[in-house]
Amino acid sequence: NALPLYRPDFSTPAAYGPEAVPVVEELLAALRWANGYLWASPSYHGAVSGAVKNALDYVQFLSQDTPTFLYGK
């Protein structure tokens, strides 16, 4: 399944609906597990793709973690 478009008005992955929850939670689990990240994307008019931007937006759900966001990554 595809990662749904990020909605800043949704405060939890559950808000995206039952079909999207496993996809969102899988991404968040991978972000929490990793020691670091390497993001790669084709360039579109000097910027990264919308799909990569969308995935990066989901990092917001890590704001309540300890440590938060990308601390130490």
Side-chain angles (χ1 to χ4, degrees), residues 9-72:
D9 54 321
F10 286 176
S11 60
T12 66
Y16 289 89
E19 290 182 9
V21 169
V23 178
V24 173
E25 290 293 348
E26 182 178 355
L27 173 64
L28 296 176
L31 291 169
R32 288 179 178 114
W33 175 84
N35 290 322
Y37 310 118
L38 175 64
W39 298 88
S41 170
S43 176
Y44 294 106
H45 305 287
V48 298
S49 72
V52 171
K53 290 177 187 177
N54 187 54
L56 285 170
D57 284 338
Y58 278 95
V59 174
Q60 176 62 32
F61 283 123
L62 304 180
S63 67
Q64 300 303 314
D65 286 7
T66 302
T68 60
F69 292 106
L70 305 176
Y71 181 83

